[in-house]
Amino acid sequence: MIKIFRSVYSAIFLVSISITFASAKDFKTHEPDAVAGTLRSGSAMQRSQLATELNILAPNFSDPAAQSNAPCVSFDRVDERRLRLRADADNAVIVADSGECDSTYLIVFDKERKSEWGHVQTVRLSARAQHPEVSFAEVVQPGISEVMVHRETTHDSGSAQQENFVVLKLLHNRLVPVLDTVERYELVMPNRPENDADHVEQSQQSTFSVVKADANAGQRTRILEKEVLKERKIRLTLYRYWSWDPELERFRSTAYNGSDVAAGPIAKPPAKSAGAAVQQSKDQQK
């Protein structure tokens, strides 16, 4: 049954990736804190115009596969984080949750030395069932952050629910997924086709931890996954490492026996507001 379970949710996973990407045709100048302020408290017309410029678009609810051109103008929460996504540049990421649009938007800005802020890209994460948890961590290279997305819903039906763990990295001026794997999965299916009341419940729950680099062992920072599979009274625990492959520019997994596990969970700090980020920058300059 475990083999059936793995094949079923793998098939769903392949067809239900819900991250969509959009970037402005022109590299326009926008101050991240001003953008965050407009999305929070701007007029409907201001928010609509800004959303159109930055490709903050609502999904097409009648046809999810079709591209939409309707701006999303209603936001439940807007946070800004100043950090570095690539060397020799400053970056800002605005995380905007919209229940009305069933979306969480990652709005990415870039500023090279002696230049103005420019909008790089807007990434939409599906948030129909719940908003994903967005945080930042330095995994591939010290001083350069990746975007960590926990519990991004990729499938939600009466018999199956799936949430993914996604790592996004700025590569070649695009924020792209470099790791995308199942974080939580629940499946209910009939044990006997002739009796719907007799069913089997299968589940998978993974936790992800950052394992810091060990210079003495010649190892880089990695992500450790602990995966727990359950079916009836059967419980199976698997471990795997996710390591960065510089040639393929993505994380690849290798099996691990789980011995000597000494890692902490990936931190999930809330995205800082624009005011807090600016004050932190001033304090650091002092």
Side-chain angles (χ1 to χ4, degrees):
M1 294 297 291
I2 290 294
K3 291 183 178 179
I4 295 176
F5 167 45
R6 299 286 292 185
S7 61
V8 170
Y9 79 62
S10 296
I12 296 176
F13 163 71
L14 289 174
V15 300
S16 60
I17 297 297
S18 58
I19 299 179
T20 59
F21 297 88
S23 61
K25 293 181 179 179
D26 300 319
F27 193 77
K28 297 183 178 181
T29 298
H30 290 284
E31 290 287 343
D33 53 349
V35 171
T38 300
L39 295 180
R40 291 190 191 101
S41 56
S43 67
M45 182 176 296
Q46 289 174 328
R47 285 180 278 121
S48 178
Q49 180 180 356
L50 186 62
T52 301
E53 291 180 0
L54 301 182
N55 285 321
I56 309 173
L57 305 177
N60 188 328
F61 294 104
S62 60
D63 183 4
Q67 186 174 0
S68 168
N69 58 1
C72 181
V73 298
S74 177
F75 302 96
D76 309 309
R77 178 179 176 179
V78 177
D79 293 314
E80 180 194 352
R81 182 70 178 269
R82 299 289 178 96
L83 69 171
R84 180 164 289 177
L85 298 177
R86 67 182 181 93
D88 302 323
D90 294 321
N91 297 99
V93 178
I94 294 177
V95 182
D97 292 332
S98 174
E100 183 176 302
C101 299
D102 289 347
S103 304
T104 290
Y105 298 93
L106 305 179
I107 310 164
V108 184
F109 299 88
D110 188 276
K111 183 179 184 295
E112 294 183 346
R113 293 179 181 179
K114 299 181 180 180
S115 65
E116 298 179 320
W117 284 103
H119 173 234
V120 176
Q121 183 183 5
T122 295
V123 175
R124 189 186 77 85
L125 302 172
S126 175
R128 182 176 181 181
Q130 64 179 6
H131 289 294
E133 302 171 11
V134 179
S135 61
F136 306 88
E138 299 174 3
V139 181
V140 177
Q141 178 182 348
I144 306 298
S145 296
E146 286 75 50
V147 183
M148 306 288 174
V149 180
H150 286 272
R151 306 191 67 178
E152 199 255 338
T153 302
T154 60
H155 187 80
D156 185 16
S157 67
S159 60
Q161 294 83 38
Q162 179 174 322
E163 298 167 356
N164 280 19
F165 170 59
V166 183
V167 179
L168 300 165
K169 185 172 181 58
L170 190 64
L171 294 172
H172 313 296
N173 207 37
R174 297 284 294 172
L175 195 65
V176 297
V178 292
L179 193 161
D180 190 344
T181 189
V182 180
E183 184 168 17
R184 187 189 71 85
Y185 191 88
E186 292 183 359
L187 174 67
V188 179
M189 61 182 184
N191 188 35
R192 293 178 296 173
E194 68 276 8
N195 185 0
D196 292 340
D198 184 11
H199 60 267
V200 177
E201 295 184 6
Q202 298 176 333
S203 68
Q204 180 230 320
Q205 178 70 56
S206 288
T207 56
F208 299 87
S209 305
V210 172
V211 180
K212 294 298 182 180
D214 186 348
N216 295 328
Q219 295 177 342
R220 298 182 177 182
T221 299
R222 297 168 292 171
I223 296 175
L224 174 63
E225 177 185 0
K226 177 183 178 182
E227 178 185 22
V228 178
L229 300 172
K230 294 181 182 179
E231 180 188 327
R232 297 185 186 275
K233 296 182 180 180
I234 301 175
R235 179 187 176 99
L236 179 63
T237 301
L238 304 173
Y239 292 88
R240 63 180 59 89
Y241 275 122
W242 293 90
S243 303
W244 178 251
D245 187 319
E247 293 185 0
L248 296 179
E249 294 187 328
R250 65 181 178 88
F251 286 90
R252 303 186 68 183
S253 64
T254 54
Y256 175 57
N257 61 15
S259 62
D260 300 327
V261 174
I266 292 178
K268 302 179 184 178
K272 296 181 180 179
S273 64
V278 171
Q279 184 62 46
Q280 182 187 38
S281 177
K282 291 180 178 178
D283 293 342
Q284 290 175 345
Q285 292 176 0
K286 294 179 180 179

